[in-house]
Amino acid sequence: MKFVSTRDSSVEVSASEAILQGLAPDGGLYVPVSFPSLETLNVYEVSSYPELAFEVLAPFFEDDILKDDLAEICIDAFNFHVPLVELHEKQMVLELYHGPTAAFKDFGARFLASCMEKLLEKQQRKLTILVATSGDTGGAVAAAFANRKGIEVKVLFPKGRVSKRQQQQLTCWGGNIKAYEVDGSFDDCQKMVKDAFMDKRLSKEWGLSSANSINLGRLLPQMVYYVYASTLYKETYGTKPTFIIPSGNVGNSCGAYWAFSMGAPIERITLAVNANKTIPDYLRDGEYKPRPSVATLANAMDVGAPSNMERLFNLYGDIATFRKMVSATSVDDETIKKTIREVYQETGYVMCPHTATAERVRRDLPVQDDTIVVSTAHPAKFEAVVEPLIGKSVPVPENLASLLSKRSEYKSVGCNYKELFEE
Ligand SMILES: *Cc1c(COP(=O)(O)O)cnc(C)c1O
């Protein structure tokens, strides 16, 4: 399988090339030239999640230098469980938060890290990954790359602007993960990363690379759980489910659309967003207007200019097709709170604010049967929001708890990127 840029389909690269490059040279995002059909694959006969992942992803790595490593990469990356639980009959929740940092980003970050480690080993090269984070992304990337050979990660976070638990998850790794507390804002952190990449000499000398959510290596594994949950649902109930996905940069939902393009038994895909309404407004007005983000309780979805929209436009270019394939509904903070309380009182199930956004959209559908709400984070990560609403504490899962007890270490720096490279 070859991949092309969303802005220029004349230059084709392999999966590995796309993964190492991150962004295409013309600034576009990499997308597959076509989608293999699930019908030709063995997805109904596998006995474990990593095996299913291998079956689904193999066609994308068919002619790639990682072809023979893919099975091992899948076993290494997907070493946690992926439960599809029933909230009411035929109303399911797909829990994507059982990885090391208790959020769905572990799927993409771990797969990317495992691919990169193998590639560098083959090419006898070293890389330095720079990440600026406002909180969660940096933690998933740090966890996924910890102890990987040939890769050093530099994580930048803005001083005093990440939560205590988030800071702990960025600074507890040691070894090949270096954390920097920047005396500035998240924008300053992003600017330092940009400046470092612009410094061609330094960029080459350190082998700078990025691991952000537009990297193809993070997108591809996000198809697999949609194939998994939809085939499991269809086998159980005989009908196709509709997925409702809490969305920000729409990387997660893009995975669902790609799974749909492969022929996964999916009825419909619906995006649930917070007060950042860029996509619902586009569906209403037919005019796409990215904008600055506003802060909400579901803060991992506070995105006004969703970066993966370029991939969705590549699939469904004109507004008529887009409207046919995509629904999106916005949920405000008060309604998120109300939903967390309502679900807990009714079922005893505790949802994070992101998951509650999707649950609200389900509850407002005319028919709730045959739906799967995608749960993107463990509620204990957002205890300050969730606990007062349900009136009790949320136990911290073991994987998170073990991170919280590690020793924290970081370097304080100003806003000049050169400080990141002084040893
Ligand atoms: C990143 C994130 C999202 C949004 O995912 P996108 O791929 O950016 O749409 C939703 N929920 C949680 C908990 C996240 O961390």
Side-chain angles (χ1 to χ4, degrees):
M1 177 71 66
K2 293 295 181 198
F3 298 84
V4 292
S5 164
T6 43
R7 297 185 190 175
D8 176 3
S9 58
S10 68
V11 184
E12 298 187 339
V13 300
S14 69
S16 289
E17 286 168 320
I19 286 169
L20 283 175
Q21 284 177 24
L23 213 59
D26 61 8
L29 311 188
Y30 283 113
V31 293
V33 292
S34 65
F35 288 95
S37 165
L38 279 185
E39 274 178 35
T40 62
L41 308 175
N42 240 344
V43 295
Y44 287 94
E45 278 152 44
V46 299
S47 58
S48 70
Y49 190 87
E51 265 181 53
L52 173 76
F54 172 76
E55 282 296 326
V56 173
L57 298 175
F60 297 96
F61 288 85
E62 205 171 41
D63 46 6
D64 194 88
I65 55 168
L66 286 179
K67 179 180 194 271
D68 295 331
D69 301 287
L70 185 63
E72 208 181 302
I73 290 171
C74 291
I75 291 169
D76 173 63
F78 310 122
N79 61 347
F80 48 91
H81 59 294
V82 192
L84 180 62
V85 304
E86 197 174 82
L87 201 58
H88 292 291
E89 205 193 345
K90 296 192 178 182
Q91 297 180 36
M92 319 296 280
V93 177
L94 178 61
E95 293 181 351
L96 299 181
Y97 57 68
H98 295 276
T101 70
F104 90 93
K105 290 189 177 69
D106 287 325
F107 285 87
R110 287 187 64 77
F111 184 79
L112 176 66
S114 195
C115 286
M116 279 190 169
E117 184 180 43
K118 287 265 190 262
L119 284 168
L120 294 173
E121 193 185 312
K122 285 184 198 297
Q123 301 178 348
Q124 297 279 306
R125 280 206 299 145
K126 285 188 192 308
L127 267 187
T128 303
I129 287 179
L130 282 187
V131 210
T133 185
S134 56
D136 264 357
T137 315
V141 170
F145 283 89
N147 302 315
R148 300 270 176 195
K149 288 191 270 316
I151 307 172
E152 182 171 294
V153 178
K154 294 179 184 290
V155 189
L156 288 66
F157 63 93
K159 182 177 176 180
R161 304 201 199 183
V162 299
S163 78
K164 243 182 139 165
R165 278 192 188 171
Q166 283 175 332
Q167 178 156 336
Q168 174 66 18
Q169 285 179 52
L170 299 171
T171 58
C172 71
W173 301 97
N176 65 328
I177 311 292
K178 307 264 190 312
Y180 296 88
E181 178 197 59
V182 173
D183 193 6
S185 65
F186 173 57
D187 291 336
D188 292 321
C189 297
Q190 278 192 307
K191 182 161 187 304
M192 288 167 77
V193 170
K194 251 192 197 149
D195 288 347
F197 277 105
M198 298 287 278
D199 184 333
K200 290 294 172 222
R201 230 188 68 201
L202 180 131
S203 174
K204 191 150 183 242
E205 181 189 340
W206 285 77
L208 292 190
S209 182
S210 69
N212 53 29
S213 69
I214 47 93
N215 192 300
L216 180 76
R218 288 182 57 169
L219 252 291
L220 289 174
Q222 290 171 187
M223 291 189 294
V224 177
Y225 41 78
Y226 291 105
V227 174
Y228 169 74
S230 62
T231 50
L232 181 61
Y233 191 90
K234 176 103 190 296
E235 278 183 325
T236 311
Y237 296 103
T239 40
K240 294 182 190 176
T242 287
F243 284 101
I244 308 165
I245 308 170
S247 300
N249 266 322
V250 298
N252 196 1
S253 11
C254 187
Y257 283 103
W258 285 7
F260 179 82
S261 301
M262 289 182 79
I266 297 171
E267 181 63 32
R268 193 166 176 79
I269 296 162
T270 293
L271 279 48
V273 301
N274 56 27
N276 291 279
K277 294 187 204 177
T278 308
I279 303 170
D281 285 355
Y282 172 60
L283 284 164
R284 189 192 56 198
D285 304 335
E287 210 178 322
Y288 185 60
K289 288 191 199 144
R291 61 200 75 167
S293 63
V294 298
T296 77
L297 293 177
N299 59 18
M301 296 159 34
D302 290 349
V303 180
S307 49
N308 280 295
M309 276 301 274
E310 198 163 325
R311 285 191 166 111
L312 287 195
F313 286 139
N314 188 262
L315 274 182
Y316 313 124
D318 61 286
I319 178 70
T321 316
F322 196 91
R323 279 186 178 133
K324 203 171 131 222
M325 301 305 298
V326 182
S327 332
T329 304
S330 159
V331 179
D332 65 31
D333 276 356
E334 277 315 304
T335 314
I336 290 174
K337 284 197 210 163
K338 184 182 117 188
T339 309
I340 292 173
R341 215 184 285 121
E342 197 176 294
V343 172
Y344 178 67
Q345 284 168 355
E346 233 174 64
T347 65
Y349 191 90
V350 185
M351 286 179 172
C352 85
H354 312 80
T355 309
T357 310
E359 179 62 27
R360 182 76 257 156
V361 174
R362 163 155 64 195
R363 285 173 177 238
D364 292 342
L365 288 176
V367 180
Q368 280 95 44
D369 277 6
D370 297 329
T371 50
I372 300 179
V373 157
V374 175
S375 180
T376 49
H378 192 288
K381 289 193 90 166
F382 300 90
E383 83 287 358
V385 178
V386 174
E387 289 178 352
L389 294 170
I390 64 169
K392 66 164 202 152
S393 69
V394 183
V396 178
E398 217 173 297
N399 44 3
L400 269 193
S402 73
L403 297 187
L404 297 180
S405 64
K406 284 190 182 179
R407 202 168 69 91
S408 153
E409 201 181 336
Y410 58 87
K411 193 173 165 186
S412 299
V413 294
C415 288
N416 186 335
Y417 73 94
K418 291 203 167 131
E419 289 178 73
L420 305 172
F421 300 91
E422 289 161 3
E423 297 281 86

